[in-house]
Amino acid sequence: MSGPVTSTAAGQDNAVVELLSALPVAEDLAARFTAAGHRLYLVGGSVRDAMLGRLSGDLDFTTDARPPQIMALVKGWADAIWDTGIAFGTVGATKHGQTVEITTFRADAYDGVTRNPEVTFGDTIEGDLVRRDFTVNAMAYDVVNRQLIDPTDGRAALKAKVLDTPATPQESFSDDPLRMLRAARFVSQLGFTVAPRVLDAMAAMSGELSRITAERVQVELSKLLTGAYPRAGVELMVEAKLADVVLPELPAMKLEIDEHHQHKDVFHHSLVVLDQAIDLEDGPEPDLVLRLAALLHDIGKPDTRRFEEGGGVSFHHHEVVGAKMVRKRLRALKYSKEIVEDVANLVYLHLRFHGYGSGEWTDSAVRRYVTDADHLLTRLHKLVRADCTTRNKRKANALQRTYDDLERRIERIAAEEDLNRVRPDLDGNEIMRLLGLPPGPMVGKAWKFLKELRLDRGPLDHDEAVAELLAWAREEGVEPPRD
């Protein structure tokens, strides 16, 4: 049970009571279970978040009732029920738009090879709590009796903002290695730190993450990167050697720097770019694609580093190499094709702006920049701006002013032309009619020629476009039909 109630602890308990008072569904459900002779507790992340003053929309409960009994109790009460997790003792339901998940007390055993437990139901709330991942998640709240159950002193850990395990970290991580990555995710989401013994165990056992499927790793990594403090989560991944297994390109960016070959620490630079990209986000939700691109935009540098005469260092074509590396890694982590391509293209394009100089680009080059970025243009703007990490304020301000100029040129050309839909001035049907061609590769080649012409010269009037097409066709050996 919980220890003596201090003023801080009482305040946390009151926070749970106050939040639950705004959620009558919880008390209604608890009363239903109590009437049937069962116990029901709000548990885990729901209690933790309530104490942090941010109870989410979904509520997690645990109970001594077995799954068939849970089903019987929510039937007729819930607006909807699903039993996809019933093999693991979990029944889901909604009531008045509130989602709840109710799980029978667990006392699982793990085989030490996979992370799949042999599901065993328990009989006590304390037994259920001590098998959970971290002490801050090993608290329960008795809704009926308004009592906190805290056998591992999670309340103190929550106050200290420390992640520790109910059992030894070695035992906990051996049972489920994914908990190590969850620790880094909670650091990102909650701004917590990990206990020293937890950090030691993570570094010693990071190889165990190879037991986890790529899909599960990807989910945790995405949650980490979209947390409130992703930099802290990434730094923990590297320090605890989790990144060696999950994202080895990150620690590889910690290039050695000596007095003769000075250059920026690529890993530290990437973290700064990540922070600055996040500051530029303007949507209601974190931008996973932008954050991945910011973190990984320079992963091609280790493979392209060359020491130049005079002590310089170069990373020629690191954006090309980096884009290939991004595709390989994100595919291995089972990210969607759309995310893989978007992140890879941002990495590939992030250096293009540096050829702009002080405005030397032609309008044709600006059109190509916009066309190549396509739907990623807004993200590319943010990534390029975030990639400026120089401490020289004059240089930084000059770079930002230059990019301001590029954006103004894009706006001007977009106002004059439809840059969002750069298409040839003649469509495929007209190309076939003018050249007397059936559908086929030559029509596609003509279409591409006209698009390149459109990018170079901007919109052409119809007669000019026809004349250019006919001249091109003759050079290609295609004789247009005579009218």
Side-chain angles (χ1 to χ4, degrees), residues 245-433:
V245 180
V246 173
L247 205 57
E249 294 81 1
L250 286 182
M253 287 194 290
K254 298 184 77 170
L255 301 177
E256 294 181 4
I257 303 173
D258 62 47
E259 59 181 330
H260 301 296
H261 299 99
Q262 294 186 7
H263 57 83
K264 291 180 180 179
D265 180 309
V266 180
F267 176 65
H268 179 264
H269 164 75
S270 298
L271 293 178
V272 175
V273 174
L274 174 62
D275 284 340
Q276 294 185 166
I278 291 170
D279 289 341
L280 294 172
E281 289 180 350
D282 52 13
E285 300 294 333
D287 189 337
L288 176 61
V289 167
L290 178 62
R291 295 185 182 198
L292 279 167
L295 182 64
L296 302 177
H297 74 286
D298 275 347
I299 65 169
K301 279 191 171 180
D303 285 356
T304 58
R305 181 172 60 163
R306 298 291 181 270
F307 296 125
E308 308 291 349
E309 292 184 10
V313 180
S314 67
F315 304 96
H316 295 308
H317 305 302
H318 75 268
E319 75 281 10
V320 178
V321 173
K324 292 178 181 177
M325 294 172 67
V326 162
R327 285 190 175 91
K328 182 178 180 180
R329 176 56 54 195
L330 296 190
R331 284 169 181 163
L333 287 170
K334 306 298 183 182
Y335 276 99
S336 69
K337 180 179 178 181
E338 291 75 17
I339 289 179
V340 171
E341 288 305 307
D342 283 354
V343 176
N345 285 332
L346 284 171
V347 171
Y348 178 74
L349 292 169
H350 83 274
L351 279 187
R352 179 80 64 85
F353 160 71
H354 293 281
Y356 186 74
S358 56
E360 287 84 0
W361 275 5
T362 62
D363 283 358
S364 172
V366 175
R367 290 188 196 98
R368 290 180 184 279
Y369 187 75
V370 173
T371 302
D372 290 348
D374 196 30
H375 67 284
L376 296 171
L377 183 62
T378 299
R379 285 188 176 117
L380 183 59
H381 289 334
K382 294 174 183 176
L383 178 59
V384 172
R385 290 184 181 275
D387 194 26
C388 175
T389 62
T390 177
R391 295 180 182 179
N392 185 321
K393 290 186 178 179
R394 180 179 296 178
K395 183 177 180 181
N397 290 336
L399 284 170
Q400 297 297 346
R401 286 195 301 270
T402 303
Y403 205 83
D404 289 342
D405 181 68
L406 173 58
E407 289 201 63
R408 283 193 294 269
R409 287 186 64 186
I410 291 172
E411 290 174 3
R412 175 183 61 78
I413 296 172
E416 298 169 357
E417 310 168 17
D418 190 358
L419 279 184
N420 292 325
R421 293 187 303 162
V422 175
R423 297 287 186 274
D425 296 286
L426 306 174
D427 65 18
N429 289 328
E430 193 163 10
I431 291 171
M432 288 188 287
R433 180 180 65 79

Side-chain angles (χ1 to χ4, degrees), residues 51-87:
M51 287 186 166
L52 292 173
R54 56 177 221 174
L55 190 61
S56 64
D58 297 345
L59 298 178
D60 295 324
F61 294 92
T62 188
T63 179
D64 61 327
R66 287 343 191 212
Q69 296 169 316
I70 297 173
M71 289 290 290
L73 284 167
V74 297
K75 188 174 294 185
W77 172 83
D79 299 325
I81 302 171
W82 58 93
D83 61 0
T84 51
I86 200 165

